[in-house]
Each structure stands twice: as C-alpha cells, then as structure tokens.
Amino acid sequence: MAGLRDYLLSPCGASQPSAEEFAAALERYAWFLPLHAAAERLSGETDPLVGLMAPWRGESSLCRAAVDADALTHLTSGEVIDRFLKEEDLRIVADETAPDTEVRTAPDLDDEDELVSEELAAVYLSQGLRDEAVAIYRKLSLLNPEKSIYFAELIEKTEKQ
C-alpha cells in the first residue's frame, strides 16, 4: 500500500503500482474518488463513478498530463513572452481613433498661481507663521465669497493670537 499512497500523492514522481495493488485498494476503499481517478488513468477505461461524482470538481490532478519541468526551466523570459504572444494575438496597440493629446504628469502652474487651502493655513499656524496663515485665509475669502464670513472669523481669531 505504501507504493499506492506514494503514487496518489505524487503521480508524476512515483512508480506505478501493480494492478493487484490497485484492485485490492479499490475493493477496500470504494468510496475514495482519487483512487478511482487514478485507476481510470492507468487502465484507460472510464470509471462511471468518476463521471458521476467529479463533474463539479473539474479535472482531477491525477488525470492531467505530466508537466516537463526541464523544458520550463530552460526557457528565458523573452521566450516565454514570445510563446504567450504566439498563442493568441494579445498585443496592446494604440487606438487609431484616439486623439493625439499630451499626457501630463504634473500640473501646469503659473508663477502667479498660488496653492491655497485651509490645511496650508493650519500648517502655517502650527509653525507659528500667523501672517502667512492670515494671507491664505484672505485669498480663500476672495476665492470663496459664500464663505467670506467664516474666513473673516478665522482671520480675526488668528490676528488676536
């Protein structure tokens, strides 16, 4: 039974057990589906139990062909990529109807443009730079007239500190 166990655990690496050993194991462990799949593989005959019980499981690892590991390790990455691309045409090609626009990786800012936010003003306040924070709040008040009262209160509070 040890040879059968080794074969079931590693069908590609272990030696094939005898037909008597398989028959005895099938008689004793009739419920064990991998044993039926291995017997099906060795005999070449279809086992109705495997067809009945295994369609939801997909193909058993015992039914798959052995993988040639040496062939896989001797390939370079370029050869693997070429083989993959030859199987199907999976090349990424630019769309000819797409507009030719420049891809920007950084924002275009003029020297006159200045980034202002409440977070920047809070950073200035935490650093003790009250004048810079007040300047930021004034710019925000001009940019957001609907919040001008809010910013006026912040300016007054900051100037009193």
Side-chain angles (χ1 to χ4, degrees):
M1 284 291 179
L4 180 61
R5 186 190 73 222
D6 293 340
Y7 180 75
L8 289 175
L9 292 175
S10 176
C12 298
S15 62
Q16 182 174 334
S18 67
E20 295 83 25
E21 194 174 13
F22 250 105
L26 276 173
E27 188 175 318
R28 184 169 181 190
Y29 305 107
W31 53 267
F32 192 55
L33 190 61
L35 191 60
H36 285 273
E40 185 179 54
R41 179 177 183 220
L42 292 175
S43 68
E45 299 174 11
T46 59
D47 188 338
L49 184 64
V50 174
L52 178 69
M53 303 280 287
W56 56 270
R57 293 179 51 198
E59 186 177 312
S60 170
S61 62
L62 296 171
C63 298
R64 293 186 189 144
V67 175
D68 185 12
D70 291 333
L72 293 176
T73 57
H74 292 298
L75 294 175
T76 65
S77 59
E79 292 171 335
V80 172
I81 292 170
D82 289 341
R83 183 189 297 177
F84 175 75
L85 292 175
K86 285 178 186 174
E87 288 179 8
E88 288 186 38
D89 190 20
L90 301 173
R91 298 183 188 273
I92 299 173
V93 182
D95 186 12
E96 293 179 9
T97 60
D100 294 331
T101 57
E102 180 182 342
V103 176
R104 297 172 188 238
T105 58
D108 290 336
L109 298 175
D110 297 335
D111 292 336
E112 298 171 3
D113 289 344
E114 190 175 333
L115 297 176
V116 292
S117 69
E118 289 184 62
E119 290 82 10
L120 182 59
V123 169
Y124 282 149
L125 283 175
S126 68
Q127 294 174 350
L129 303 170
R130 282 191 227 111
D131 295 336
E132 286 82 356
V134 168
I136 295 287
Y137 286 138
R138 286 193 177 126
K139 289 178 185 176
L140 286 170
S141 177
L142 293 173
L143 292 172
N144 302 305
E146 67 277 0
K147 295 174 82 178
S148 62
I149 296 172
Y150 168 72
F151 289 119
E153 290 174 356
L154 287 175
I155 291 169
E156 183 179 338
K157 181 180 171 185
T158 305
E159 286 177 339
K160 286 183 181 179
Q161 288 181 349

